[in-house]
Amino acid sequence: MNSAMVVGAGPVGCLTALSLAQLGWQVTLIEKLSCPDGELPVSYDDRQLALSHANVIWLVDHLLPSLMAYLTPILHIHTSAQDGFGVMEMSAKEQGVSALGSTIAMDQLGHLLFQAVRQSEQITLEDEVNLYALSQEEQRVLLQVVQREQAQTWQADYLFAADGLNSWVRSVLRIEQTHHHYEHGLMTAIATLQKPHEFLAIERFTAQGPTALLPMTGTHLAKVVFSYPLTEMSVVQSASSAWLTEKINHNLGKKLGNVVGIHG
């Protein structure tokens, strides 16, 4: 039986562990943060995630059969540019699918993932783990860790790194990465809509950066994603809800601007 250590219990790490377990592997899922039974690491917040239709079908069929009940479908997509003539519109009906994609809150997805992880007999979840050395001995990977002040050495046939942007594993293995800064910041919030969203996702490109709306559970709620130049950071971070509402409606335009309040 193959064995693996998966570093990082975010969505990617959990899905990796569940997929390997389904293949019959023995998996140790390693998380730096605390996640006692019934709870999630604090990194799982209420941010809204967008999943493609193909990803949803695969997840429901293979790993998370109860996922569908927690999803908000995207039935229509509108993409356009402010002060431009080009518009792209797409509907699920025209494409012959039940949905073009779906949205779900990260913490909702997290509860489903951790429930599946804890129910698996082939996955051992280890939390509050700090890593400090990585080596290879013949065909085994050795990982030296400290867990709750206890030094230990764990080993497996394979190591999978899912420990995020500032990956400790990547750093230790000296895997190079390239950074490109777009000189923009990103703000996300929950928007209250004047009219029902009708399961429409919007992306509107402006000279200052894109603004997007994703439908949420509740007919008059949407997740807003607002990009802005770093030169405007102090203005945006200190802005009132009324200012942000006006700015987002301006970016979306008269036809699409449907926001009456911003919170969260």
Side-chain angles (χ1 to χ4, degrees):
M1 179 187 297
N2 286 322
S3 62
M5 294 180 289
V6 178
V7 179
V12 172
C14 286
L15 289 170
T16 300
L18 289 167
S19 298
L20 292 172
Q22 194 175 67
L23 294 173
W25 290 39
Q26 198 66 39
V27 182
T28 302
L29 180 58
I30 302 168
E31 172 56 42
K32 181 178 181 179
L33 301 174
S34 174
C35 45
D37 285 349
E39 296 184 23
L40 298 174
V42 294
S43 55
Y44 282 87
D45 53 27
D46 64 351
R47 80 188 82 170
Q48 205 74 7
L49 303 178
L51 305 176
S52 73
H53 176 66
N55 282 341
V56 168
I57 296 302
W58 188 87
L59 287 170
V60 170
D61 286 348
H62 294 89
L63 297 179
L64 301 173
S66 62
L67 174 64
M68 197 68 75
Y70 298 88
L71 298 176
T72 299
I74 296 173
L75 302 183
H76 311 277
I77 294 176
H78 172 106
T79 304
S80 60
Q82 193 178 51
D83 301 323
F85 295 102
V87 174
M88 189 285 291
E89 292 183 336
M90 183 184 298
S91 75
K93 184 177 180 180
E94 289 173 350
Q95 298 301 314
V97 293
S98 58
L100 297 169
S102 299
T103 67
I104 186 172
M106 189 172 182
D107 54 358
Q108 288 181 323
L109 178 61
H111 282 295
L112 294 173
L113 290 171
F114 271 74
Q115 181 182 43
V117 164
R118 289 175 171 130
Q119 288 177 348
S120 173
E121 295 180 356
Q122 292 171 260
I123 301 175
T124 301
L125 175 61
E126 301 284 2
D127 66 342
E128 297 185 53
V129 178
N130 289 297
L131 315 178
Y132 67 90
L134 175 63
S135 60
Q136 186 171 358
E137 186 177 286
E138 297 181 353
Q139 299 300 313
R140 302 284 287 176
V141 179
L142 275 63
L143 189 60
Q144 292 177 285
V145 309
V146 174
Q147 184 182 41
R148 300 181 185 91
E149 301 182 356
Q150 296 293 319
Q152 303 178 53
T153 299
W154 296 340
Q155 56 180 299
D157 298 319
Y158 297 91
L159 176 73
F160 291 81
D163 51 339
L165 177 65
N166 300 310
S167 169
W168 178 88
V169 175
R170 185 188 63 237
S171 175
V172 168
L173 295 178
R174 298 182 180 179
I175 298 173
E176 294 184 2
Q177 62 176 331
T178 301
H179 290 272
H180 179 79
H181 206 299
Y182 290 94
E183 302 300 326
H184 273 66
L186 195 68
M187 184 204 75
T188 63
I190 296 173
T192 301
L193 307 178
Q194 184 178 24
K195 298 178 292 185
H197 55 58
E198 296 181 339
F199 306 103
L200 170 68
I202 300 170
E203 185 162 26
R204 181 86 161 163
F205 293 94
T206 76
Q208 290 74 41
T211 296
L213 288 180
L214 292 171
M216 295 176 61
T217 301
T219 58
H220 289 73
L221 293 177
K223 195 72 170 184
V224 61
V225 183
F226 171 52
S227 176
Y228 57 89
L230 291 183
T231 53
E232 298 181 7
M233 179 180 289
S234 60
V235 174
V236 173
Q237 290 183 342
S238 61
S240 65
S241 175
W243 185 92
L244 289 170
T245 299
E246 183 179 353
K247 180 69 172 176
I248 289 165
N249 281 328
H250 171 76
N251 287 357
L252 294 174
K254 290 183 179 180
K255 182 179 178 180
L256 300 171
N258 180 30
V259 177
V260 294
I262 297 291
H263 53 95

